[in-house]
Amino acid sequence: MSAVRTVLGDVAPGDLGVCDAHDHLFFGSPRLPGQELSGVAAARAELVAFREQGGQAVVQWTPYGLGRRAADLPPLSRETGVHVVAATGLHQAVHYDEEALDGLRGRLAEVFVSELTTSIGVSGVRAGLVKVAGGFHALDAHARWTMAAAAEAHHATGVTVAVHLELGTGALDVLDLLCGELGVPPHRVVLGHLNRSPDLVVHRQAAEYGCYLAFDGPSRANHATDWRMPDAVRALADAGFGDRLLLGADTTTAPARSVGGGPGMPYLLRRVRPRLVEAVGEELVGRVLAENPGRAFAVEWR
C-alpha cells in the first residue's frame, strides 16, 4: 500500500490533510548569509501559526548539506500536531563548496537511497522525497548529475523526485531528462516554482506529461507571480489538470517567516487560498491542498 513517509512514520495519503507542499523549516546556504532558518523555537512558532490557519502537513524540500536539522523535525511534528516530510537530494552547485561536492562523486545515488531507507545521518529520520534543481532555461552538468542520481534513487525506492525550476524555467528539459532519458514515471515528478514563469503554454505542455505542477512561494519584486497565478491555475484546471496541482509557501529565509515579519507558511492559507477560491472555486482548492499532495508524495516503498 502506498504511503507518505513523514518524520514520524508512514501516513496514508488520505490522512495527510491540508498540506503546504513545498516549504522549509530549516535552511541555510552560503548564498544567503545571515538569513538562515536555523532556530527551533522559530520553526515551532511557524508550524503553530500554520496549524492555526488549518494547516496539517508541511513538505520540507531542504536537501543534503543545507541545514535540514533532521533530528529536530520529529519533536516539532509531535509538539505541533503537523505532519512533516523531510527530503534528501542536492540543490544547485552554487549552494555548496567544491570539497563537499567532490566528496559525493561516485556515491550520490547511494547517499540518496540511504537517507530514504535508513536515516538522514544519525537522526533516525528517513527522507520522503528527493529534491534536485535545474538551471535558468538550461540543465548544466551538475543538474544532470544530480537528476541521474535522483532517478537511480527513484528506481530503487519508488520515491517522488521534486525539482526546483530556476525562476520557473526549464520545465520541459527537466521532463525530457527525468522521464525520457532516465525513465522516471511522470506521476513521480513534481515541478516547483511554475508560478515564477507564467507561460501558460509551457504549463500545459508540462501537465500533459502527467507530472505534478507546484505553484509555490509568494511574490518577490523580480517575479511576476501572485497576480498571474490564479489565471495559470484556472487554465490548467479548465484543461482537466486540476488533480495535478500543488501549492506551497517556500519560506527560505528568516525574515520571510511570519514570526520574522514576513508572509511565511500561514500566508498560503490566509491569503493565497481565498484568492484561488475566487478564481477556481472552493471545491478545487480544497482538493489541491488536501488530496493532491497525498497522491504526489505517496509511494509504494521498496
Side-chain angles (χ1 to χ4, degrees):
M1 180 179 292
S2 64
V4 179
R5 180 150 290 171
T6 79
V7 298
L8 295 179
D10 292 352
V11 172
D15 293 338
L16 197 61
V18 173
C19 182
D20 177 345
H22 177 184
D23 222 313
H24 304 271
L25 289 166
F26 300 109
F27 183 83
S29 166
R31 293 190 71 185
L32 300 166
Q35 301 183 65
E36 296 84 359
L37 296 175
S38 58
V40 173
R44 184 184 299 108
E46 194 74 0
L47 282 175
V48 169
F50 178 65
R51 186 194 63 204
E52 288 173 348
Q53 292 292 328
Q56 296 167 289
V58 173
V59 182
Q60 170 163 276
W61 285 31
T62 309
Y64 180 96
L66 296 183
R68 289 172 289 183
R69 300 195 64 153
D72 290 312
L73 297 176
L76 284 171
S77 179
R78 253 185 238 105
E79 291 163 10
T80 63
V82 177
H83 295 299
V84 176
V85 180
T88 185
L90 210 66
H91 210 331
Q92 296 163 324
V94 295
H95 293 281
Y96 305 91
D97 60 42
E98 280 301 318
E99 185 178 354
L101 295 178
D102 287 344
L104 295 169
R105 304 290 177 194
R107 67 184 192 96
L108 190 59
E110 178 185 338
V111 169
F112 292 171
V113 171
S114 175
E115 294 195 337
L116 290 161
T117 59
T118 305
S119 175
I120 297 173
V122 296
S123 67
V125 170
R126 292 182 294 176
L129 71 150
V130 179
K131 182 259 184 73
V132 290
F136 184 55
H137 287 292
L139 297 178
D140 61 12
H142 177 87
R144 291 180 176 277
W145 170 53
T146 58
M147 289 184 192
E152 284 190 53
H154 163 78
H155 293 306
T157 65
V159 73
T160 293
V161 180
V163 185
H164 164 100
L165 299 179
E166 185 64 18
L167 295 181
T169 67
L172 302 182
D173 285 341
V174 167
L175 293 171
D176 284 347
L177 176 60
L178 278 176
C179 304
E181 296 179 35
L182 299 173
V184 178
H187 72 283
R188 291 276 65 92
V189 175
V190 175
L191 297 180
H193 301 318
L194 286 166
N195 48 308
R196 297 182 184 176
S197 181
D199 186 327
L200 302 190
V201 174
V202 170
H203 291 181
R204 172 77 176 262
Q205 291 171 329
E208 287 171 348
Y209 267 83
C211 66
Y212 285 88
L213 303 103
F215 292 80
D216 39 19
S219 283
R220 303 175 189 181
N222 60 330
H223 297 160
T225 57
D226 284 2
W227 65 276
R228 294 183 177 181
M229 197 248 289
D231 290 338
V233 170
R234 182 170 53 241
L236 287 165
D238 288 348
F241 299 112
D243 63 341
R244 294 290 166 181
L245 301 175
L246 300 171
L247 296 170
D250 188 32
T251 310
T252 56
T253 65
R257 273 186 165 148
S258 64
V259 295
M265 292 180 182
Y267 184 84
L268 178 67
L269 303 180
R270 186 173 63 85
R271 293 299 186 202
V272 176
R273 176 169 56 184
R275 176 65 183 90
L276 287 178
V277 165
E278 183 178 323
V280 299
E282 189 166 354
E283 190 273 336
L284 176 60
V285 174
R287 286 193 286 119
V288 170
L289 285 168
E291 295 181 20
N292 294 0
R295 289 199 313 274
F297 296 107
V299 301
E300 301 217 0
W301 292 93
R302 299 169 192 163

